[in-house]
Amino acid sequence: MLGVLFVASGLYVALTSVDGLAYLGAALLLAFGANLLYCAWRGCASWLGRIGPLP
């Protein structure tokens, strides 16, 4: 579900923003969301799962 949330947030930011930095943030949200969805489908560890526990 986090992947769907990231993809939806990235699409919202990409479609409503006019700033170049916002497009970079949207691209990152879309990339992480797509990776989460792909890894959930394939059953492997995602990028966010590989960084380990955060302090």
Side-chain angles (χ1 to χ4, degrees):
M1 292 307 297
L2 186 61
V4 173
L5 179 68
F6 278 6
V7 168
S9 298
L11 287 174
Y12 177 76
V13 171
L15 295 176
T16 60
S17 66
V18 294
D19 187 17
L21 190 58
Y23 285 125
L24 178 64
L28 287 174
L29 282 171
L30 287 170
F32 280 121
N35 181 261
L36 284 169
L37 291 174
Y38 173 76
C39 289
W41 180 263
R42 300 291 295 173
C44 59
S46 68
W47 295 335
L48 293 177
R50 291 181 185 167
I51 61 173
L54 296 174

